[in-house]
């Protein structure tokens, strides 16, 4: 048994879609969430910069004695995972490997679509991992950069978003994928809009659920599960939290159980 918190980090607030899954699947676990709201988005930045930022975020959480780290950002998972593993004494979960496994299990016609930020798609991480499991699978990747700001602005069900989504996804409809991996923390908010365009026969894979299933397994195997009946939730951001309060509810699914505090990554 270990009651230390789980550290969850993201380029911003999108990772709250992963944190809420911890609350759901592991209700006795305490969480420290860190979002780099001062420097979001990461999805358009170079690999070198994302690695530098990601190590700063991981170190901030490791100093707070977290018992495991959840990289709740696809862009960071795609380009910086090995570097974070090098510095971390605690188990690390990323959001790509669990989504890949679930996607490979789901596809019947061996045609999988992947959508994500430019950084994630350019890294080729999803296609690489899918092909490693089953080289016969065809992977079609599309970056959807406008989805992040649209979700943050609360426009994920807006008519304009539907038009943009159609433009991004029409090609995947033509390519007859039967499974689509939502390779970005923000995309679960666009679930209905995406389903409308791809049709109900395409299975959408959101990484939050399989990631936290994997986390649960790792914690159990390593004897790190908490039995705390009063878990704590701490939320840290790197910019003034004003705007964050307005949007977190959409990503977390309910009001945050705890205050959001601005921190400096050197703290
Ligand atoms: N959290 C990022 C991801 O999952 C999206 C936002 C960003 O571009 O930083 O890729």
């Amino acid at each position: 048994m270990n009651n230390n918190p789980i550290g969850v980090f993201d380029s911003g607030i999108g990772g709250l879609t992963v944190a809420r899954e911890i609350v759901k699947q592991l209700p006795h676990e305490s969480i420290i969430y860190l979002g780099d709201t001062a420097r979001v988005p990461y999805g358009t930045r170079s690999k070198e910069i994302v690695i530098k930022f990601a190590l700063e975020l991981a170190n901030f959480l490791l100093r707070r004695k977290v018992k495991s780290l959840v990289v709740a950002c696809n862009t960071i998972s795609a380009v910086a995972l090995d570097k974070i593993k090098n510095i971390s004494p605690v188990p690390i979960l990323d959001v790509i490997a669990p989504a890949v496994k679930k996607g490979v299990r789901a596809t019947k016609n061996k045609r999988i679509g992947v959508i994500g930020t430019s950084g994630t798609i350019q890294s080729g991480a999803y296609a690489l991992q899918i092909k490693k499991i089953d080289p016969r699978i065809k992977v079609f990747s599309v970056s959807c950069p406008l989805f992040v700001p649209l979700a943050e602005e609360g426009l994920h069900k807006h008519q304009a978003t539907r038009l943009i989504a159609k433009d991004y996804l029409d090609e995947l409809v033509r390519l007859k994928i039967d499974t689509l991996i939502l390779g970005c923390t923000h995309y679960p908010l666009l679930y209905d809009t995406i389903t409308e365009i791809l049709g109900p026969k395409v299975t959408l894979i959101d990484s939050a659920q399989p990631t936290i299933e994997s986390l649960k397994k790792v914690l159990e195997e390593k004897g790190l599960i908490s039995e705390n009946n009063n878990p704590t939730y701490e939320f840290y951001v790197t910019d003034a939290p004003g705007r964050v309060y307005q949007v977190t509810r959409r990503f977390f699914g309910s009001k945050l159980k705890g205050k959001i505090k601005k921190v400096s990554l050197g703290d």
Side-chain angles (χ1 to χ4, degrees):
M1 204 181 92
N2 182 322
N3 289 346
N4 283 8
I6 295 167
V8 182
F9 66 103
D10 178 36
S11 55
I13 49 161
L16 288 171
T17 56
V18 180
R20 79 175 168 193
E21 196 62 32
I22 299 180
V23 178
K24 199 166 138 195
Q25 287 192 43
L26 295 162
H28 298 290
E29 300 296 339
S30 294
I31 300 172
I32 301 183
Y33 182 91
L34 174 61
D36 194 4
T37 50
R39 301 186 294 195
V40 71
Y42 283 15
T44 46
R45 293 182 188 272
S46 71
K47 186 177 167 177
E48 291 68 31
I49 284 291
V50 173
I51 290 172
K52 179 177 177 287
F53 290 175
L55 291 177
E56 289 171 9
L57 299 176
N59 273 318
F60 177 93
L61 290 170
L62 289 170
R63 286 199 296 278
R64 277 151 188 83
K65 304 274 171 283
V66 294
K67 65 179 172 187
S68 70
L69 280 176
V70 177
V71 185
C73 174
N74 288 263
T75 309
I76 297 176
S77 298
V79 304
L81 191 64
D82 287 347
K83 298 279 193 276
I84 303 167
K85 279 188 178 158
N86 284 344
I87 63 152
S88 175
V90 300
I92 298 177
L93 276 292
D94 73 297
V95 280
I96 296 183
V100 162
K101 272 191 213 139
K102 196 170 174 187
V104 168
R105 273 200 308 271
T107 184
K108 300 263 182 318
N109 71 359
K110 300 208 180 289
R111 298 173 80 78
I112 299 182
V114 177
I115 54 174
T117 63
S118 308
T120 299
I121 297 304
Q122 267 166 32
S123 77
Y126 272 100
L128 220 74
Q129 290 194 32
I130 292 170
K131 295 257 179 212
K132 223 181 204 170
I133 300 178
D134 186 345
R136 293 166 303 172
I137 293 178
K138 292 220 157 30
V139 184
F140 305 100
S141 308
V142 178
S143 61
C144 304
L146 287 174
F147 282 175
V148 168
L150 288 166
E152 290 203 359
E153 290 302 321
L155 296 172
H156 42 290
K157 291 189 176 155
H158 194 276
Q159 211 183 330
T161 305
R162 229 171 288 143
L163 285 176
I164 291 165
K166 201 168 158 19
D167 193 57
Y168 284 150
L169 304 175
D170 258 353
E171 166 112 31
L172 295 176
V173 176
R174 272 197 301 279
L175 289 165
K176 301 206 181 331
I177 58 160
D178 72 350
T179 304
L180 178 73
I181 298 180
L182 307 180
C184 175
T185 49
H186 287 59
Y187 298 177
L189 270 74
L190 287 105
Y191 200 97
D192 294 345
T193 306
I194 294 170
T195 301
E196 225 175 85
I197 291 157
L198 295 181
K201 286 197 183 130
V202 175
T203 308
L204 302 194
I205 309 283
D206 164 14
S207 36
Q209 195 199 347
T211 298
I212 303 312
E213 281 166 9
S214 303
L215 171 68
K216 195 173 171 193
K217 233 185 254 166
V218 170
L219 295 181
E220 280 166 357
E221 276 165 18
K222 299 198 180 286
L224 293 173
I225 285 281
S226 164
E227 287 171 8
N228 185 357
N229 284 325
N230 292 304
T232 56
Y233 302 112
E234 295 168 51
F235 298 97
Y236 296 126
V237 288
T238 51
D239 197 359
R243 179 177 168 274
V244 173
Y245 272 112
Q246 295 158 20
V247 286
T248 43
R249 205 187 177 119
R250 275 200 298 280
F251 288 86
F252 198 60
S254 63
K255 231 175 130 208
L256 290 189
K257 299 173 187 146
K259 269 198 138 198
I260 307 174
K261 218 172 129 195
K262 177 179 181 269
V263 288
S264 145
L265 290 178
D267 289 354

